[in-house]
Amino acid sequence: MQISTIIFDFGGVLTTSGFFSSLAKNLSEKFGIACEEAEKRLRANEKTYARGEETTENFWKKCFPKAEISYDDFVKEFVSSYDLNPAVLDIVSKLKSQYHTILHSDNFEVLVSAVKKDPQITGLFEDMFFS
């Protein structure tokens, strides 16, 4: 059997791990909320959001019920808080000339929109599938 397609995951493969830690750090730096407190709130509300049982807006409301951060600012930070792994990007770039490369991820709907538009990602994959 010959390999023709290689599928990559997004979180922890195409990106470095620690998304919520990175988001908490960014929120802390830009809006003055203690990093530990921001991460605690994000993680406390993560499960239902990660399962797709609530919207990004409901997740934001649970994490920041006193609206210390506006929803628009939260989304702006949320979609830019992933850190791409340059070594993996380089591997995908080399493999795409010989194989079909696919990106698959179960991820947050607001982040999916940003990933689909990220020029560092879009040129590397023939297709992207999100759940």
Side-chain angles (χ1 to χ4, degrees), residues 84-116:
L84 294 172
N85 185 330
V88 175
L89 293 176
D90 187 51
I91 290 168
V92 177
S93 179
K94 290 175 183 172
L95 290 172
K96 78 177 209 146
S97 65
Q98 300 172 39
Y99 302 96
H100 299 286
T101 53
I102 308 291
L103 178 63
H104 179 267
S105 182
D106 58 340
N107 221 306
F108 311 109
E109 93 276 351
V110 70
L111 189 56
V112 167
S113 297
V115 169
K116 286 180 177 180

Side-chain angles (χ1 to χ4, degrees), residues 75-93:
V75 169
K76 184 178 177 182
E77 292 308 312
F78 194 94
V79 301
S80 64
S81 288
Y82 61 86
D83 297 313
L84 294 172
N85 185 330
V88 175
L89 293 176
D90 187 51
I91 290 168
V92 177
S93 179

Side-chain angles (χ1 to χ4, degrees), residues 9-35:
D9 189 19
F10 182 73
V13 176
L14 203 62
T15 66
T16 58
S17 57
F19 175 77
F20 279 121
S21 297
S22 180
L23 175 58
K25 180 178 177 260
N26 292 346
L27 293 172
S28 175
E29 289 172 358
K30 293 197 175 160
F31 303 104
I33 295 173
C35 188

Side-chain angles (χ1 to χ4, degrees), residues 3-4 10 12 37 41 44 61 67 82 89 102 104 118 128:
I3 296 172
S4 63
F10 182 73
E37 179 62 23
R41 292 181 191 187
K61 286 177 183 177
Y82 61 86
L89 293 176
I102 308 291
H104 179 267
D118 189 327
M128 296 185 218

